[in-house]
């Protein structure tokens, strides 16, 4: 493994002098990397030629290249949002990042065809096994491109399209172009602009009218290379009355230098459609995870984000729903765990734009040791609307006196025909509680882990079983490592 | 047979010495009661034996089956067979009693050994039937929003499931009405037997009407100053703690 790191890190190390403060946290599940020979490499640093290289490798249509170049200009002209966000963003050195690495642009349809060096990564992460057990389709992205993509025949026969964005742009340009970049405009923020310039991979899903996909579709995002930036772009469209659950998982090995993950995810739920989007991320502590996620819910449609953020050095992510049609519903269920050396800056946005729309936000954060969690929320209900409802609950759990939590809820509600409810709480796992559990035979680590799992229990129950088991396992690993 | 031996134990919180040279031996099958007025160090004694991090042992020793437990963490002491029934049990929101006990039982198993879920629930339900506890009880979060009586019943159920060698019961009767007290006492009496030693700590003699002790000790100023059988509790009830105080004063001046 050390050999692979040496081979891969052709670029000089980051200007990052602060050593990773986390010791002993067991993130072994994702902490490994294999030597991979990349056929396509856009080199280090971000230039116009980098963007042109990516576009040419993908054999893209001219409009996409234009879209990318325009985005690059926006990215370069926009300042870092450090006037409201953490100054840690300034530690990202865009000149030292590699923006595109792949072994080819066409994912394999069977695991047997996937090159051994990539296949063993996903096997070790248990993806093929999960696919057999409970998934309707899987896409497995390795650095910049999907190495594997498959959808079960029964789902494909219903007309469901499940492809990576590279393929979809080529094969389904008519649908893709209609919705692409419409929910999240390029200049929404600096990182959506960055993603728009260099995006690669990510899922494209279209579910035809009335089709209800019974099993979840899953994408797995794996960063293998050091000094690498992963910029997947996901677009999901559920046509009228369609239903879909999509799950994504993410891991990266623990390198001493920083890695950047900056995705854009757009969801469109047309009339009466339902999309549930579940994320369980377990990034290693060197990853800057700066993701823009938003959906538009049309009349009587429903979009639900379930977002679990574990790991990473800094996560900034505020899944949102624009409630565009009458009676549309939006929901964000968010769990964030910030351990030593981590900052989870997460939240939700609910933009009500039609009568009788309802939104629900439940955010729970856990801060351990020096870990820091921040909740930012926006709920916007303009004056001319009536019958809108929002419920916001933010609960923070602090373990250890040094941990920190901040809540910045911004609820703008105008007019008197709408209803808003907001609750926030901060609680601590105190010594008495831990002693009580230890007195029953649990170690300190087991006691904390159980207390944390109890804190999020009501949310975790909403997950598909396989994912709530995974979440519990990740929390156990984090908590075990967090006590002396 | 097991023994819990407390030898000339001194316990301090910060710089303040609370337990002041206390000695007591408890064998399996015995029920000892320690009585005493508030502030005399009764609860400190039980928490110190259980390994609460706020209490510093400044002298003496505690031996379980001849082995000192003082260097062990609280959880190691628990797994070695010590159970503390808390005066004020902690609430653990979101963790059901069934899951909590399961984790506690699992913690007593060897590394890599997995609890047998069917066997576990069979045993849990058997203990609940024995203690006349409703099946729905264990689906509730541990002590979360419980009444005083429910909390104590939860303690007794845990004690029954974990089958300790020695149970330290700290003011088990506090906050209980007479019906709840009877239920809790019935539970303890059911568990009483040759494999369990009990140290009951109480302010009132009332509890001892329901759980009749083999030995009664009076604690004063961090020490045991008088020992006897059940009749000592009754004498104390009749004469009040002032009687002990006067006797002590007389002994000092004599």
């Amino acid at each position: 493994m050390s050999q692979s790191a040496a081979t891969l890190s052709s670029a000089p190390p980051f200007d990052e002098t602060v050593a990773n403060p986390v010791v002993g946290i067991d993130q072994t599940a994702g902490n490994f990397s294999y030597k991979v020979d990349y056929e396509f490499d856009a080199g280090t640093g971000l230039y116009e030629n980098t963007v042109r290289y990516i576009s040419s490798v993908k054999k893209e249509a001219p409009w996409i290249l234009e879209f990318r170049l325009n985005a690059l200009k926006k990215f370069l002209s926009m300042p870092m949002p450090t006037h409201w966000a953490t100054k840690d963003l300034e530690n990202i050195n865009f000149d030292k990042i590699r923006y595109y690495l792949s072994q080819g642009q066409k994912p394999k349809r069977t695991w047997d065809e996937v090159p051994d060096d990539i296949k063993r990564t996903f096997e070790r992460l248990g993806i093929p096994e999960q696919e057999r057990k409970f998934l309707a389709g899987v896409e497995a992205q390795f650095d910049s491109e999907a190495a594997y993509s498959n959808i079960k025949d029964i789902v494909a026969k219903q007309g469901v399209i499940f492809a990576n964005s590279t393929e979809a742009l080529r094969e389904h340009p008519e649908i893709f172009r209609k919705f692409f970049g419409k929910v999240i405009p390029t200049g929404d923020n600096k990182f959506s602009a960055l993603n728009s310039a260099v995006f690669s991979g990510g899922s494209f899903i279209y579910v035809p009218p009335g089709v209800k996909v019974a099993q979840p579709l899953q994408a797995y995002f794996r960063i293998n290379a050091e000094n690498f930036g992963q910029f997947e772009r996901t677009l999901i469209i559920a046509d009228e009355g369609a239903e879909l659950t999509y799950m994504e998982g993410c891991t990266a090995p623990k390198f001493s230098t920083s890695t950047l993950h900056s995705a854009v995810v757009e969801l469109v739920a047309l009339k009466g459609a339902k999309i549930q989007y579940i994320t369980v991320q377990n990034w290693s502590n060197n990853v800057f995870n700066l993701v823009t996620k938003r959906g538009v819910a049309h009349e009587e449609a429903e979009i639900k984000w379930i977002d679990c953020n574990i790991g990473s050095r800094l996560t900034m992510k505020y899944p949102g729903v624009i409630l565009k049609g009458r009676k549309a519903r939006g929901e964000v269920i968010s769990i964030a765990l910030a351990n030593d050396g981590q900052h989870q800056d997460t939240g939700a946005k609910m933009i009500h734009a039609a009568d009788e729309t309802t939104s629900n936000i439940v955010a729970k954060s856990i801060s351990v040791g020096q870990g820091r969690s921040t909740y930012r929320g926006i709920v916007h209900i303009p004056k001319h609307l009536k019958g809108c409802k929002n419920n916001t609950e933010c609960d923070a759990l602090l373990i250890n006196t040094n941990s920190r939590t901040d809540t910045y809820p911004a609820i703008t509600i105008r007019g008197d025909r709408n209803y808003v409810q907001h609750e926030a709480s901060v609680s601590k796992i105190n010594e008495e509680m831990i002693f009580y559990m230890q007195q029953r035979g649990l170690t300190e680590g087991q006691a904390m882990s159980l207390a944390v799992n109890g804190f999020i229990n009501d949310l975790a129950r909403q997950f598909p079983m396989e994912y709530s088991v995974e979440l519990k396992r990740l929390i156990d690993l984090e908590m075990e490592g967090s006590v002396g | 047979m097991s023994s819990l031996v407390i030898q000339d134990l001194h316990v301090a919180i910060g710089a303040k010495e609370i337990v002041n040279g206390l000695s007591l031996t408890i064998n399996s099958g015995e029920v000892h009661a320690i009585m005493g007025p508030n502030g005399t160090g009764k609860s400190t004694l039980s928490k110190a034996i259980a390994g609460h991090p706020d209490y510093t042992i400044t002298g003496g020793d505690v031996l379980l089956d001849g082995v000192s437990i003082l260097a062990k963490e609280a959880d190691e002491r628990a797994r070695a067979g010590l159970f503390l029934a808390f005066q004020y049990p902690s609430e653990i929101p979101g963790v059901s009693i069934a899951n909590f006990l399961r984790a506690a039982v699992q913690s007593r198993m060897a590394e890599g050994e997995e609890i047998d879920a069917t066997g576990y629930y069979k045993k849990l339900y058997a203990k609940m039937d024995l203690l006349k506890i409703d099946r729905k009880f264990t689906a509730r979060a541990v002590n979360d929003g419980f009444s005083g009586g429910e909390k104590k019943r939860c303690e007794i159920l845990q004690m029954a499931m974990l089958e300790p060698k020695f149970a330290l019961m700290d003011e088990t009767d506090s906050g209980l009405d007479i019906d709840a007290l009877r239920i809790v006492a019935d539970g303890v009496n059911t568990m009483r037997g040759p494999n369990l030693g009990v140290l009951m700590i109480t302010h009132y003699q009332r509890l001892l009407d329901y759980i009749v002790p083999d030995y009664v000790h009076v604690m004063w100023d961090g020490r045991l100053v008088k020992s006897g059988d059940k009749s000592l509790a009754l004498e104390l009830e009749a004469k009040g703690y002032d009687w002990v105080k006067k006797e002590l004063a007389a002994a000092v001046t004599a």
Side-chain angles (χ1 to χ4, degrees):
Chain A
M1 227 179 291
S2 58
Q3 187 203 350
S4 75
T7 320
L8 291 177
S9 54
S10 53
F14 250 57
D15 299 329
E16 179 191 301
T17 47
V18 188
N20 191 324
V22 181
V23 275
I25 288 184
D26 186 0
Q27 278 175 325
T28 48
N31 188 22
F32 61 90
S33 67
Y34 292 116
K35 178 185 175 341
V36 170
D37 295 318
Y38 295 99
E39 239 175 284
F40 302 91
D41 182 346
T44 301
L46 180 57
Y47 311 97
E48 193 182 307
N49 276 343
T50 318
V51 172
R52 287 185 186 277
Y53 176 84
I54 294 170
S55 192
S56 74
V57 160
K58 290 172 177 288
K59 302 184 178 67
E60 288 177 340
W63 74 268
I64 307 170
L65 176 61
E66 203 177 307
F67 176 91
R68 289 180 182 275
L69 291 171
N70 173 47
L72 178 64
K73 271 187 210 136
K74 280 213 170 109
F75 167 71
L76 295 171
S77 70
M78 291 174 84
M80 273 289 188
T82 42
H83 57 288
W84 60 269
T86 170
K87 296 264 185 295
D88 194 25
L89 286 172
E90 286 163 2
N91 292 315
I92 304 171
N93 189 339
F94 293 102
D95 297 336
K96 298 281 171 65
I97 289 171
R98 299 195 281 173
Y99 290 83
Y100 185 85
L101 286 173
S102 82
Q103 281 199 327
Q105 289 73 37
K106 200 155 175 51
K108 303 296 185 271
R109 298 294 174 212
T110 66
W111 285 106
D112 285 343
E113 296 169 78
V114 175
D116 283 345
D117 47 4
I118 292 177
K119 187 168 71 179
R120 60 185 169 177
T121 293
F122 290 111
E123 275 176 351
R124 196 161 156 179
L125 292 164
I127 311 300
E129 191 193 342
Q130 288 177 3
E131 178 182 16
R132 282 194 297 275
K133 275 188 353 208
F134 67 96
L135 299 169
V138 166
E139 186 197 315
Q141 180 165 340
F142 192 83
D143 293 331
S144 295
E145 296 284 2
Y148 171 85
S149 177
N150 191 35
I151 180 167
K152 283 183 183 162
D153 283 346
I154 189 164
V155 185
K157 275 183 190 143
Q158 293 174 297
V160 176
I161 300 169
F162 180 45
N164 66 78
S165 67
T166 312
E167 277 184 302
L169 278 165
R170 273 202 300 262
E171 289 162 27
H172 308 281
E174 68 299 335
I175 320 177
F176 207 110
R177 201 170 173 177
K178 187 175 168 191
F179 294 99
F180 178 71
K182 299 294 195 297
V183 183
I184 301 171
T186 297
D188 184 80
N189 64 75
K190 191 171 176 72
F191 293 94
S192 64
L194 174 63
N195 174 282
S196 300
V198 296
F199 71 89
S200 184
S203 304
F204 172 77
I205 297 171
Y206 172 77
V207 187
V211 173
K212 295 175 171 56
V213 185
Q215 286 180 307
L217 291 172
Q218 175 169 292
Y220 199 91
F221 298 96
R222 172 67 178 174
I223 293 178
N224 186 66
E226 194 164 4
N227 287 326
F228 176 69
Q230 189 173 54
F231 306 97
E232 84 269 15
R233 181 101 192 184
T234 290
L235 174 59
I236 299 175
I237 298 139
D239 213 322
E240 294 190 3
E243 290 182 17
L244 171 75
T245 295
Y246 177 84
M247 316 205 288
E248 61 172 359
C250 330
T251 57
K254 189 152 73 185
F255 290 121
S256 57
T257 56
S258 295
T259 303
L260 177 59
H261 175 252
S262 191
V264 166
V265 177
E266 297 175 288
L267 309 183
V268 180
L270 295 173
K271 187 177 175 183
K274 279 186 187 171
I275 301 176
Q276 180 163 261
Y277 191 109
I278 303 168
T279 304
V280 177
Q281 71 167 51
N282 179 26
W283 292 118
S284 53
N285 292 51
N286 53 308
V287 176
F288 282 94
N289 181 44
L290 311 164
V291 172
T292 311
K293 287 182 167 172
R294 199 171 302 153
V296 172
H298 290 263
E299 194 175 337
E300 293 182 352
E302 186 179 311
I303 290 179
K304 181 173 185 175
W305 298 97
I306 296 181
D307 204 42
C308 304
N309 299 298
I310 295 172
S312 82
R313 167 171 170 172
L314 170 67
T315 288
M316 291 177 68
K317 195 201 298 178
Y318 322 97
V321 183
I322 299 163
L323 301 149
K324 197 178 177 187
R326 202 176 66 87
K327 288 193 170 172
R329 292 181 303 279
E331 190 165 10
V332 173
I333 304 289
S334 158
I335 295 170
L337 192 146
N339 217 318
D340 276 337
Q342 303 175 347
H343 183 182
Q344 303 285 3
D345 193 327
T346 59
K349 295 179 181 177
M350 291 294 176
I351 312 299
H352 291 251
D355 289 343
E356 295 172 75
T357 47
T358 53
S359 60
N360 185 36
I361 300 169
V362 184
K364 295 205 178 201
S365 70
I366 301 129
S367 309
V368 188
Q370 308 281 341
R372 182 177 168 193
S373 61
T374 306
Y375 171 83
R376 293 178 209 272
I378 292 177
V379 176
H380 182 75
I381 305 178
K383 191 177 177 178
H384 66 274
L385 297 183
K386 60 178 189 297
C388 298
K389 276 185 197 158
N390 166 261
N391 175 57
T392 300
E393 287 171 46
C394 306
D395 297 319
L397 183 69
L398 301 179
I399 303 172
N400 192 326
T401 45
N402 294 322
S403 50
R404 175 174 170 186
T405 183
D406 308 286
T407 302
Y408 305 100
I411 299 181
T412 320
I413 171 164
R414 299 206 167 82
D416 52 8
R417 295 172 297 178
N418 302 303
Y419 177 77
V420 176
Q421 185 176 316
H422 179 246
E423 281 175 41
S425 77
V426 177
S427 47
K428 280 186 180 179
I429 291 185
N430 60 39
E431 205 180 47
E432 289 306 315
M433 187 170 166
I434 297 299
F435 175 65
Y436 182 75
M437 291 194 265
Q438 279 191 276
Q439 212 297 308
R440 299 308 185 239
L442 306 186
T443 63
E444 194 181 355
Q446 289 166 342
M448 284 202 188
S449 180
L450 197 61
V452 169
N453 276 298
F455 174 70
I456 59 157
N457 183 37
D458 53 336
L459 296 188
R461 267 192 303 218
Q462 299 192 32
F463 290 30
M465 209 262 284
E466 290 78 4
Y467 265 48
S468 65
V469 168
E470 172 69 1
L471 181 66
K472 185 182 175 304
R473 196 184 62 81
L474 291 177
I475 288 173
D476 288 349
L477 284 175
E478 285 286 311
M479 301 317 295
E480 287 282 311
S482 70
V483 293
Chain B
M1 191 170 91
S2 287
S3 66
L4 181 67
V5 178
I6 306 164
Q7 288 174 342
D8 191 26
L9 192 69
H10 292 255
V11 184
I13 304 177
K16 196 172 177 227
E17 187 136 293
I18 311 282
V19 174
N20 196 359
L22 185 143
S23 297
L24 177 66
T25 295
I26 304 169
N27 295 307
S28 305
E30 298 173 358
V31 174
H32 291 247
I34 290 185
M35 302 183 69
N38 288 330
T40 197
K42 302 191 300 293
S43 287
T44 299
L45 175 69
S46 62
K47 282 188 182 167
I49 295 172
H52 193 293
D54 286 355
Y55 300 83
T56 317
I57 311 279
T58 52
D61 209 345
V62 180
L63 311 169
L64 179 60
D65 293 334
V67 180
S68 174
I69 59 168
L70 294 186
K72 294 181 199 279
E73 294 287 326
D75 52 297
E76 295 174 272
R77 299 184 197 192
R79 294 194 298 271
L82 269 189
F83 183 91
L84 172 60
F86 285 67
Q87 183 177 7
Y88 305 110
S90 288
E91 300 186 359
I92 314 173
V95 179
S96 70
I97 296 172
N99 280 342
F100 182 51
L101 270 171
R102 192 176 163 153
V105 171
Q106 175 77 57
S107 76
R108 285 159 172 76
M109 303 178 79
E111 184 111 12
E113 204 186 333
E114 274 293 317
I115 195 167
D116 161 42
T118 321
Y120 164 72
Y121 276 102
K122 221 172 142 184
K123 182 174 170 183
L124 179 64
Y125 289 145
K127 297 288 184 186
M128 289 168 80
D129 289 348
L130 193 68
L131 300 171
K132 300 186 187 73
I133 292 173
D134 191 284
R135 291 275 167 95
K136 286 187 206 127
F137 188 65
T138 46
R140 295 173 65 187
V142 179
N143 297 322
D144 192 11
F146 282 18
S147 69
E150 286 170 333
K151 282 184 179 172
K152 296 298 160 75
R153 210 182 295 193
C154 184
E155 295 294 284
I156 300 301
L157 175 61
Q158 292 176 51
M159 181 172 149
M161 270 307 276
L162 299 178
E163 297 173 338
K165 290 177 182 165
F166 291 96
L168 313 170
M169 310 192 67
D170 188 7
E171 306 269 6
T172 294
D173 50 332
S174 73
L176 293 192
D177 62 32
I178 203 75
D179 290 337
L181 181 63
R182 193 170 287 140
I183 290 165
V184 168
D186 282 352
V188 177
N189 287 329
T190 310
M191 281 180 263
R192 215 170 152 168
N195 298 320
L196 176 69
V198 178
L199 178 63
M200 279 193 296
I201 284 168
T202 182
H203 186 83
Y204 300 106
Q205 119 82 22
R206 184 179 74 153
L207 177 67
L208 308 185
D209 288 340
Y210 296 92
I211 307 172
V212 181
D214 303 305
Y215 303 94
V216 173
H217 313 275
V218 179
M219 190 162 176
W220 193 272
D221 258 354
R223 271 175 300 158
L224 299 185
V225 294
K226 228 173 168 32
S227 292
D229 58 14
K230 164 78 176 128
S231 62
L232 176 60
L234 295 171
E235 194 174 358
L236 207 54
E237 168 98 332
K239 297 182 180 173
Y241 284 114
D242 273 351
W243 161 65
V244 181
K245 196 176 167 183
K246 275 177 202 148
E247 277 210 342
L248 276 176
V252 168
T253 46

